[in-house]
Amino acid sequence: TAPKINRMSLTYEKRAEMSKNAIAKQLFNIMAVKKTNLCISVDLTSSTQILELLEKVGKHVCLVKTHVDIIEDFSSDFITSLKELANKYNFLILEDRKFADIGHTVALQYTGGLYNITNWADCVTCHSLPGEGILKALNSKSNCDKGVFLLAEMSCEGNLITPQYTNETVKMAEKYSDLITGFVCQHKDTFKDPGFIQLTPGVQLQSSKDDLGQVYNTPEKVVLENGGDVIVVGRGIVSAKNPESEAVLYKDTLWKCYIKRISGKVE
Amino acid sequence: TAPKINRMSLTYEKRAEMSKNAIAKQLFNIMAVKKTNLCISVDLTSSTQILELLEKVGKHVCLVKTHVDIIEDFSSDFITSLKELANKYNFLILEDRKFADIGHTVALQYTGGLYNITNWADCVTCHSLPGEGILKALNSKSNCDKGVFLLAEMSCEGNLITPQYTNETVKMAEKYSDLITGFVCQHKDTFKDPGFIQLTPGVQLQSSKDDLGQVYNTPEKVVLENGGDVIVVGRGIVSAKNPESEAVLYKDTLWKCYIKRISGKVE
C-alpha cells in the first residue's frame, strides 16, 4: 500500500480523489461545494416535523442522518419528500441503522421490509461486531453506488469497544474499500487512509453528558484535536428555539475549525 | 451473592423459581409444560407465510423469534394474528432486533415507530456493545413485564467478541437481573446464574456453514456440551418440505438432549 498522507492537512476536494467508495467521493465534494461539514441527526418521530426541519436546515448540511424506525407515520410519501429535499439542497442521506446481525439477516434488513433502505439511503451505519459476513452481505446489495459507515468507536459511557476491536474494524474496512464510506469514530489516529471519512457524533457547542450516558464534546476539540470530518449534531439543533440559525452557527463554527485544520497551523 | 448451582443439572421448573425476570420465569415454565426447548426463527418476508408456518409449528415451540423489519407486508393485523397464535399455542415472542445504539435512540426504537415493539414482543435481543445506557433505556420502558436477551457471544465467523467482552456483558446483565431474560451465547460457562436462559442459535441436525459465515452445530453438541437452554432453529425447519414434521423432529431431539442433561449422566 502507498504511504499514507496525514489526512488532517488535506482538503476535502483532494480527499474525494483518494476515495474508492462512490458515496465518500460524493460527500467530500458536497462538503467542499457547500462549505459545510455539518451532519444533522433528525431524531424526530413525526415525518412532518422532519421535513419541516430539513426545509430549514437542508442548505446548511452535507448529510442528513435518519432513524426511520422511530418515525410514527413513516410512509413512501415521506421518502419521496425526503429525496426531493436531498436533491433540492444537495445533501446525502445516512440511515443510522447500526446493522449488527449475521450477513443473511442483514441482507434482508437492508433491502426489504417496510423501510426498503437501499431504495433511498445513500449510506448506512454498521457494526463490525458480527465479523466480515455483515460487510459481504451489504456489499452484495450495494451495486457500487451505496456506502457504509463502520462503527470503529462509540462515544457513550462504558461502551465495550477496545483498541483491538477498533483495529480489527479498520482492517476489515480496508478489505471492502469500495463499500466503506468511512468510520464513526472519535480519534484522528483511528484510521490513516485519507479516502475514508471520519463521522463524529456527540458534539454540542458546550460539552455535556445526558442521563443515558452519551457524552458531548465541542466543535474545536472534535475537528482540530480528534480529526472529525463530518460532524453529527442532533439535539443541539433540533431542540433549539430557532433550528436554522443554530444550524448556521454550528456550520460556521465547524467550517472554521476545518479551515484552521487544513491551514496546517494546528498539530 | 449465593453460591451458584451448576445449571446443567437443574430442571427448567427449578430454574423458573430462580429467575428474577418475569419473562424468564414464564419461558422456563412454558418449556416445562410443553416439553419443548425449541425456538423457531421465522425469517420469512411474508406475514401470511409466517402465520401459516406458526399455525403448523406453534404447538411445538416455546419461543418464536421474529425479524419484523424484513416483513414486506407488516401490519397491525399481522401483530393481532401473531398474538392470537401466541395465546392459542402458548409461546412467547422474541423480536431479534439486536439493539446496538445509544440509550436515547434505543428507547425510541423500542417503543415507537411503525413496529412499536413493546406492544407485542415479550422480549428483544440487545448488544451490550454501547454499554450500560442501552439496558437503562430498555429497563425504563419495560414495566417489569418484558425481557432482554443480551448477546454475549456470536456464532458467525470472524466476529469481534472476545472473552473479556463476554465477561463484561455478563457483569452488566447481573446489574439488571430484573430485565435480563438470558444470553444469546454458545458455551455453558459463559454465565453461572441458573435464573438466566441460554439462547443458542446456529443449530441444524447436520453441522454446516453458510456462505455468509454462519456456522451450524448439532443439537447434542449445543445442549449437552455447550449448555443451550432454548435452541433457535431457522432455515432447518422453515425451508423443510414439511416444516411441522421437521419441527417435531427438532423438538424431540432437543428435548431428549435436555432430559439426558438433567439426568446427570453427562459432564
Side-chain angles (χ1 to χ4, degrees), chain B residues 63-91:
Chain B
L63 187 66
V64 169
K65 185 170 89 63
T66 56
H67 281 295
V68 277
D69 57 349
I70 68 170
I71 303 173
E72 299 297 337
D73 55 351
F74 175 90
S75 67
S76 58
D77 286 350
F78 167 71
I79 289 301
T80 305
S81 304
L82 179 63
K83 286 169 88 170
E84 281 169 7
L85 288 170
N87 284 327
K88 182 173 168 188
Y89 294 121
N90 193 26
F91 58 74

Side-chain angles (χ1 to χ4, degrees), chain A residues 73-89:
Chain A
D73 55 349
F74 176 90
S75 66
S76 57
D77 284 352
F78 166 71
I79 289 301
T80 305
S81 304
L82 179 64
K83 286 169 87 169
E84 280 169 9
L85 288 170
N87 284 328
K88 182 174 169 187
Y89 293 121

Side-chain angles (χ1 to χ4, degrees), chain B residues 220-237:
Chain B
E220 288 75 15
K221 176 150 189 188
V222 167
V223 176
L224 294 169
E225 284 179 45
N226 295 353
D229 291 318
V230 175
I231 312 302
V232 183
V233 179
R235 284 171 267 179
I237 293 173

Side-chain angles (χ1 to χ4, degrees), chain A residues 103-148:
Chain A
H104 178 80
T105 301
V106 167
L108 293 168
Q109 291 172 324
Y110 187 36
T111 57
L114 295 183
Y115 295 135
N116 207 335
I117 297 171
T118 38
N119 205 30
W120 53 271
D122 300 293
C123 43
V124 293
T125 56
C126 172
H127 283 296
S128 50
L129 189 69
E132 206 180 311
I134 197 166
L135 296 186
K136 200 170 171 184
L138 292 172
N139 203 32
S140 72
K141 305 292 179 188
S142 287
N143 292 320
C144 300
D145 66 351
K146 297 287 175 186
V148 170

